[in-house]
Amino acid sequence: MGTSPDFSSASTHSHDRVYAADDTTPTVQATSKNGTSDSMTGNRGKDASKRAGDTRPATSSSAVTTGDHDEEEEQRPPLPPRPSLLQVDLPRAPSASTIRPALQAQPTTAISSVDIQTLSFPDGTRGTFSTPASRTVSEAVSISATSGGQSTPSRKGRNGSDFDDATSLMSYAPTLRANGDLASLLDEGLSSQSPAWKLLSTQAETVNPFEKVDYEDLSLVDFDHEFDEIEAVDQRRGNEEEVLLQWKSKLKHYLILSSAGKPIYSRHGDQNLINGYIGIIQTIISFFQGSKDPLMGFTAGKTRFVVSTDGPLYFVAISRIGESDAQLRSQLEALYMQILSTLTLPTLTHLFTNRPNTDLRRPLEGTETLLSSLADTFTKGSPSALLSALECLKIRKSQRHVINNTLLKARTEKLLYGLIVAGGRLVSVVRPKRHSLHPSDLQLIFNMLFEAGSVKAGGGENWIPVCLPGFNNRGYLYMYVSFLSALDDGGNPDERPSTAHSTSREDEIAILLISADKESFFELKQMRDDLVKQLEKNGSMEIIKTAVRQGRPSATDIVPGTQLKHFLYKSRANVQFTMPSFSPHFSNLLARRRLMTLYHNLHASTHAKHSHLKVLHCVSRDSISLAWTTPVFEFYCVAGPNASRASLAQGANKVIQWVKREEERVFIIGGAVF
């Protein structure tokens, strides 16, 4: 059979002419049995000459040869030049006298080999930009038609498949190399930004974390009503079904019951509503305990149940807001500590030893507000509870040193601990040389003073017997509390805040003096008067009030120009943490809960059993976040979805450097010791 070259591919290039090659080119022919070659015909040569524009006479593309090869042999024309992978061929109008195969490329407005791309921003605007034709061989450019009649460039890989249009721009960044904690995130290759990324970066700060509503995750849509009180079931039980629906709509529940099945506490719902569920829970827990395999927790759908057993008490947490078992169990432990702070461990043990079916609600009567405020703090999201650390008021080292010395000079012989707390943040502490306050004990004290509001409702001075389980769970200490206002307005300081909607009282300063002697009230009262007088005299009280009024700085105040919206930094050695203000990006209840859910996920990933993570970088559709843990500190931060990985890492590094510079201002190192 004959072999004939196809000239149709040359028709798309007007500069390529069809002509006969020189005699030196090898002849393409096929000889039949009778010695005549019929592989090429003159008709094909005529068509080719017409497509060439007839600018020069077409040479016959066929020649009749004999076995003696006396006549001129037909020469093969040269192949047309191979098109470059970087070139976008523009289609030409086909000649009416020929039928050519359909081209895969579609018409385009591009007039040169540049890649014109369109970028849509979250605010609805669109921008176009071009990239030079400097692609690698593996990135050929093709033109794909859209449904609207327009055409947009697209990339093709080695396998010829189109990249998804929604592919992230950062997916083309170099792969991270695990050559050290954050060093891998600071790779030099990430600093080289494409024109697309530079254009996107101009819009980065306009998109904040959680700005868009994720309609696929509706778990927190009703979070604003999480703390609404549930109606009581009437005697005729006519509203029982409606009340039950309200109870089931809550995202988080805390239940406390005795081993005999007696209900003790429930955050939502009264006794008539929860009695049936309490009995079911007690049966399940007792069944597993009877088989010597204690029940730790289980999952039902998207709801997680965590069970904790402390002596004769059962604690159950029911959560749908994405917390780990360890985090929920630490919250149940805090509720147990709250009960011990009221009863002490010997009293609790004695009650259930004599009567296992004791109803503990009567001994705990009046403390439901403390349990509810503590439970609501966990539901809203508490950085202090998550990190098991304290937050301190940021003041100068020299100023804190003056306050510590003032506390030591005013100290009485019966003083065990002395604290100054402003806006829920620790200002100064004086303690014995061999004793220190446990963070869980301070959490109970802060909850009592600033969250529940029960102590503040009692007036300016209070004398409270309290058990601090971290210090000694077998006896009481006695706490003198006095409140001062950091504001000069005429507000009513005795107004009792609502437990369901209360936040940390940022405008309050409290002086706490703790003693083991229950007869030391007047002595501690005199110490408080002397302390306030000295603080007013040396100007320290005004420094504290000014720092409280200024509030926490924002992330941009700490690191100007950073794209970080919020962060948490915990000093492991000092068991203290610092963070910027929740405002303006996380000032409302839902935004704060979503932020804390993100921090809970990062914390759970880095503290999981057998986890060896040091740096964790997470990307989602509404935010990007980073967790960085070392033996010295724990660091968590979040930025908007448009922030780059390099800017996130650089912002984190600058915050770490800032904390190292300001360490003696943001943390209490040592404190006043006697």
Side-chain angles (χ1 to χ4, degrees):
M1 295 179 61
T3 302
S4 59
D6 186 4
F7 291 89
S8 61
S9 62
S11 63
T12 59
H13 303 277
S14 61
H15 61 278
D16 296 331
R17 303 179 184 275
V18 180
Y19 59 93
D22 296 335
D23 294 340
T24 59
T25 306
T27 302
V28 179
Q29 60 182 349
T31 306
S32 61
K33 293 181 180 180
N34 57 7
T36 305
S37 173
D38 57 356
S39 63
M40 300 182 185
T41 62
N43 293 334
R44 181 177 291 274
K46 293 179 181 180
D47 292 341
S49 65
K50 291 180 180 181
R51 287 194 298 270
D54 294 335
T55 57
R56 58 180 293 180
T59 304
S60 176
S61 61
S62 64
V64 179
T65 61
T66 62
D68 298 331
H69 303 282
D70 295 330
E71 298 182 3
E72 180 182 0
E73 294 180 340
E74 177 64 23
Q75 304 297 323
R76 183 182 68 176
L79 294 175
R82 184 176 182 178
S84 173
L85 293 176
L86 303 178
Q87 183 176 358
V88 179
D89 294 336
L90 300 179
R92 293 181 176 273
S95 174
S97 61
T98 182
I99 299 177
R100 54 184 253 180
L103 297 178
Q104 294 181 355
Q106 300 296 328
T108 180
T109 57
I111 59 176
S112 61
S113 57
V114 294
D115 190 1
I116 299 181
Q117 301 183 17
T118 302
L119 188 64
S120 297
F121 299 108
D123 58 0
T125 60
R126 303 181 69 185
T128 59
F129 60 92
S130 62
T131 57
S134 59
R135 301 181 179 275
T136 61
V137 178
S138 62
E139 296 179 342
V141 177
S142 63
I143 303 296
S144 58
T146 60
S147 59
Q150 298 177 352
S151 57
T152 58
S154 63
R155 293 184 179 182
K156 284 190 176 182
R158 297 179 186 272
N159 55 3
S161 61
D162 292 337
F163 283 96
D164 186 5
D165 291 338
T167 302
S168 171
L169 292 173
M170 287 306 293
S171 63
Y172 298 103
T175 304
L176 293 180
R177 296 187 297 273
N179 53 2
D181 290 351
L182 200 62
S184 60
L185 293 179
L186 296 174
D187 190 87
E188 294 181 357
L190 296 177
S191 60
S192 58
Q193 298 178 350
S194 64
W197 187 254
K198 291 179 180 179
L199 186 60
L200 182 62
S201 298
T202 61
Q203 302 288 333
E205 294 185 356
T206 63
V207 182
N208 297 318
F210 318 122
E211 191 173 81
K212 295 182 178 180
V213 178
D214 188 357
Y215 293 98
E216 297 179 1
D217 183 13
L218 302 179
S219 59
L220 296 176
V221 290
D222 296 328
F223 190 75
D224 291 334
H225 304 287
E226 177 69 15
F227 307 101
D228 295 345
E229 296 296 333
I230 298 179
E231 300 177 7
V233 180
D234 57 20
Q235 295 181 353
R236 297 182 179 180
R237 295 184 176 273
N239 63 340
E240 184 176 6
E241 185 176 353
E242 181 181 352
V243 172
L244 186 60
L245 290 177
Q246 295 178 10
W247 187 78
K248 290 182 178 180
S249 66
K250 301 301 181 181
L251 298 176
K252 199 167 183 180
H253 295 269
Y254 293 97
L255 303 175
I256 305 177
L257 62 151
S258 67
S259 57
K262 292 282 188 179
I264 297 174
Y265 170 79
S266 173
R267 175 57 189 94
H268 301 290
D270 58 8
Q271 179 180 353
N272 297 328
L273 181 63
I274 67 172
N275 270 345
Y277 296 99
I278 291 292
I280 295 174
I281 292 174
Q282 190 270 340
T283 302
I284 296 175
I285 297 176
S286 299
F287 172 80
F288 280 90
Q289 282 190 337
S291 60
K292 297 182 179 180
D293 184 17
L295 178 64
M296 305 298 292
F298 59 92
T299 302
K302 295 183 179 180
T303 305
R304 183 62 184 172
F305 293 75
V306 173
V307 179
S308 177
T309 303
D310 290 289
L313 303 183
Y314 296 158
F315 297 82
V316 181
I318 307 172
S319 176
R320 287 186 289 163
I321 56 178
E323 295 165 293
S324 68
D325 285 14
Q327 293 164 355
L328 291 174
R329 191 161 281 109
S330 67
Q331 297 171 14
L332 296 178
E333 181 70 16
L335 294 177
Y336 176 58
M337 292 296 179
Q338 182 63 61
I339 293 178
L340 289 184
S341 70
T342 304
L343 298 178
T344 73
L345 182 60
T347 303
L348 181 66
T349 304
H350 177 73
L351 288 174
F352 283 94
T353 300
N354 295 334
R355 296 182 58 187
N357 60 344
T358 298
D359 188 355
L360 202 60
R361 287 176 295 180
R362 179 167 297 180
L364 291 177
E365 188 176 3
T367 63
E368 296 87 352
T369 303
L370 298 177
L371 291 170
S372 295
S373 62
L374 190 60
D376 290 347
T377 299
F378 297 146
T379 304
K380 295 173 185 176
S382 170
S384 178
L386 174 65
L387 301 175
S388 299
L390 301 173
E391 185 182 10
C392 300
L393 186 70
K394 181 178 180 293
I395 57 177
R396 293 180 178 272
K397 176 185 175 181
S398 58
Q399 296 169 349
R400 200 184 308 273
H401 185 68
V402 172
I403 297 173
N404 291 342
N405 288 337
T406 305
L407 267 172
L408 289 174
K409 290 179 180 179
R411 181 182 69 88
T412 66
E413 292 296 330
K414 295 183 179 181
L415 179 70
L416 181 62
Y417 293 107
L419 299 92
I420 300 178
V421 184
R425 289 168 285 172
L426 192 61
V427 179
S428 179
V429 58
V430 56
R431 61 180 179 84
K433 194 171 187 179
R434 297 184 178 181
H435 297 280
S436 60
L437 278 172
H438 197 275
S440 62
D441 291 339
L442 287 176
Q443 185 180 33
L444 295 178
I445 294 175
F446 289 1
N447 173 70
M448 181 188 304
L449 300 182
F450 299 102
E451 298 293 340
S454 56
V455 176
K456 186 66 170 65
E461 293 181 335
N462 296 270
W463 182 247
I464 306 169
V466 60
C467 172
L468 300 180
F471 175 75
N472 181 14
N473 59 11
R474 308 187 64 85
Y476 288 102
L477 297 176
Y478 300 88
M479 181 169 61
Y480 174 88
V481 181
S482 175
F483 287 98
L484 303 171
S485 177
L487 304 179
D488 297 329
D489 55 12
N492 183 10
D494 297 334
E495 182 180 357
R496 182 174 180 174
S498 172
T499 300
H501 302 283
S502 66
T503 58
S504 294
R505 304 303 296 260
E506 299 292 339
D507 59 340
E508 293 175 354
I509 301 174
I511 297 178
L512 287 74
L513 305 176
I514 302 175
S515 173
D517 186 1
K518 62 180 179 180
E519 303 295 337
S520 60
F521 171 80
F522 293 102
E523 188 172 342
L524 295 181
K525 176 179 170 59
Q526 183 62 40
M527 175 186 170
R528 177 261 181 198
D529 295 338
D530 295 341
L531 177 63
V532 172
K533 183 177 179 180
Q534 290 297 323
L535 292 176
E536 293 282 1
K537 183 177 180 180
N538 58 30
S540 298
M541 184 62 70
E542 184 61 30
I543 292 174
I544 296 174
K545 291 182 178 181
T546 301
V548 172
R549 287 193 294 265
Q550 289 178 350
R552 300 180 182 90
S554 65
T556 53
D557 293 336
I558 296 174
V559 181
T562 183
Q563 294 187 14
L564 300 184
K565 304 304 180 182
H566 199 269
F567 66 84
L568 297 177
Y569 179 98
K570 175 186 176 181
S571 172
R572 290 187 166 182
N574 299 308
V575 200
Q576 300 168 30
F577 78 97
T578 184
M579 68 177 183
S581 172
F582 284 111
S583 299
H585 307 298
F586 311 102
S587 55
N588 63 71
L589 192 62
L590 177 59
R592 176 178 170 178
R593 178 62 254 183
R594 296 185 68 183
L595 173 67
M596 291 308 303
T597 298
L598 178 61
Y599 283 148
H600 275 81
N601 293 334
L602 294 174
H603 185 273
S605 299
T606 55
H607 291 78
K609 190 176 182 180
H610 306 305
S611 174
H612 301 286
L613 285 174
K614 292 184 178 180
V615 177
L616 177 62
H617 175 236
C618 297
V619 179
S620 65
R621 68 177 64 187
D622 51 12
S623 66
I624 65 171
S625 54
L626 175 72
W628 184 10
T629 61
T630 71
V632 178
F633 63 83
E634 297 178 20
F635 180 79
Y636 310 90
C637 65
V638 62
N642 286 353
S644 67
R645 185 171 52 186
S647 63
L648 183 71
Q650 292 169 359
N653 196 32
K654 290 181 179 179
V655 171
I656 302 300
Q657 295 174 359
W658 174 81
V659 173
K660 289 182 179 180
R661 292 195 307 267
E662 305 287 331
E663 184 176 16
E664 293 186 340
R665 294 187 179 187
V666 297
F667 300 136
I668 297 177
I669 302 177
V673 179
F674 61 89

